[in-house]
Amino acid sequence: MFKAEPFRSIDLVEKLGYAAGYARNFLSQATRQGLLIAEPRKGRKEKTFRANPSVVKEIVLRGGKDKEELLEALRLHSRYPGEYVALRGFTVVDHDLDLYRLGERVLPDMEGEDEIVITNVGIPKKAITIEI
Amino acid sequence: MDIGKCWDFKDDEQPPYPTIEVTLLSPDRKTTISPKVDTGFNGSLGIGKETVRRLRLSPRGTILVRTATGHSEVPVYVVGLSQPDLALKYTTLAIGTERSLVGRRLLENKTWLLDCRERRFCIITRPGPKQGFGEVLKPT
């Protein structure tokens, strides 16, 4: 819902209708699990939270239903149906119908940093086929 | 037509199958393997678990591939590939497969000889003239 944008406990209460106590517990548990990053707000006691971008890589590598749900939550199915995407955290760095063409463009960046991951969005229109 | 480098078929299964020797590189490891030439694979390179382990590769993504029985999700790796006889040396994406495979993308734009009698797979270095149905061949 908030993607990479920071949000407060009150935002969760207002958007999802959670009770304030439940929202606080949820946020503190998600932060402990490394799913969220808590950051103090300048001059205020209240913290803001944002989704940990390294979770994206973890979920993409895990694959399966979790990956599909993540890509759906990022609305990639409607923007890049049947394509391959390179993601850095929540950001689409590049996309292409052809896996190798995408690879040629993003490989220089991938060699230098560990955070970029490549995945398919839905059934690839130009699928890799293996007969054996 | 000149025949260049040839690679012997592997006969650890029947019938024997064509292979090409390639050297794969990770940031701190190097290994030379002879993957099966699989013309049913439209990608470039598939690397088996043993090679992934030897090169200490970490997956850099996952993609859905189409197999004979449906779809399957496989890891994606970044690997250096070198094959001096084919003048190949580049970094590419490879997918994780049960066994190491070389696909059509690596073979394309070259002329090959699949010699099942001599059990060898060869690169043709100087292909003969193109011959079509409409051409009249002059006697030599």
Side-chain angles (χ1 to χ4, degrees):
Chain A
M1 176 184 289
F2 303 106
K3 294 186 187 170
E5 297 303 312
F7 60 92
R8 301 163 303 159
S9 173
I10 188 73
D11 296 326
L12 212 59
V13 171
E14 285 170 1
K15 294 219 169 165
L16 296 178
Y18 287 171
Y22 180 84
R24 276 197 302 274
N25 285 341
F26 172 82
L27 291 171
S28 102
Q29 202 174 334
T31 306
R32 272 201 305 275
Q33 289 176 355
L35 300 173
L36 297 176
I37 298 170
E39 290 162 336
R41 290 182 80 194
K42 210 175 175 182
R44 296 195 186 186
K45 197 179 160 194
E46 189 188 25
K47 286 177 184 168
T48 58
F49 299 86
R50 62 185 174 85
N52 187 347
S54 68
V55 168
V56 171
K57 181 180 174 186
E58 203 181 302
I59 294 174
V60 166
L61 296 185
R62 201 186 304 154
K65 202 175 159 215
D66 288 349
K67 180 177 99 173
E68 283 308 306
E69 283 176 3
L70 171 78
L71 300 179
E72 186 61 54
L74 295 174
R75 296 186 185 149
L76 300 189
H77 281 117
S78 55
R79 290 164 64 194
Y80 309 107
E83 291 196 52
Y84 298 97
V85 292
L87 296 165
R88 183 190 287 120
F90 297 94
T91 309
V92 176
V93 179
D94 203 345
H95 61 98
D96 205 298
L97 284 168
D98 185 301
L99 174 69
Y100 295 98
R101 222 163 41 202
L102 174 66
E104 278 166 23
R105 293 199 302 270
V106 297
L107 273 171
D109 292 333
M110 289 183 83
E111 287 179 288
E113 62 170 297
D114 212 30
E115 280 308 306
I116 298 177
V117 282
I118 285 183
T119 193
N120 60 291
V121 182
I123 305 282
K125 285 179 185 160
K126 266 186 94 173
I128 302 293
T129 305
I130 307 173
E131 286 187 1
I132 55 170
Chain B
M1 185 175 84
D2 291 344
I3 297 174
K5 171 79 180 173
C6 294
W7 293 271
D8 291 335
F9 279 21
K10 261 193 183 171
D11 57 5
D12 57 357
E13 66 179 60
Q14 291 303 320
Y17 57 88
T19 64
I20 293 180
E21 191 178 81
V22 291
T23 298
L24 303 181
L25 301 104
S26 65
D28 55 354
R29 292 276 187 279
K30 180 178 173 179
T31 188
T32 298
I33 59 170
S34 295
K36 180 176 189 171
V37 174
D38 177 10
T39 54
F41 171 34
N42 63 357
S44 166
L45 185 70
I47 40 180
K49 290 190 178 96
E50 172 56 28
T51 304
V52 168
R53 194 191 57 76
R54 223 180 301 154
L55 290 170
R56 296 189 190 175
L57 293 171
S58 304
R60 305 300 302 273
T62 52
I63 60 157
L64 209 60
V65 297
R66 196 161 50 214
T67 67
T69 53
H71 287 92
S72 176
E73 201 164 43
V74 298
V76 177
Y77 301 98
V78 174
V79 70
L81 184 148
S82 164
Q83 189 0 283
D85 298 300
L86 304 178
L88 298 178
K89 192 173 184 183
Y90 54 81
T91 302
T92 185
L93 295 177
I95 61 166
T97 43
E98 280 302 311
R99 67 200 293 183
S100 294
L101 302 170
V102 158
R104 294 204 300 273
R105 199 170 180 107
L106 201 135
L107 305 176
E108 68 185 358
N109 296 323
K110 293 182 178 67
T111 306
W112 298 92
L113 171 68
L114 180 66
D115 184 350
C116 294
R117 193 178 58 188
E118 298 294 330
R119 295 185 174 182
R120 60 186 187 155
F121 186 64
C122 309
I123 177 83
I124 301 298
T125 50
R126 197 164 58 88
K130 281 184 183 173
Q131 294 174 7
F133 288 114
E135 289 179 48
V136 177
L137 299 174
K138 288 177 186 163
T140 51

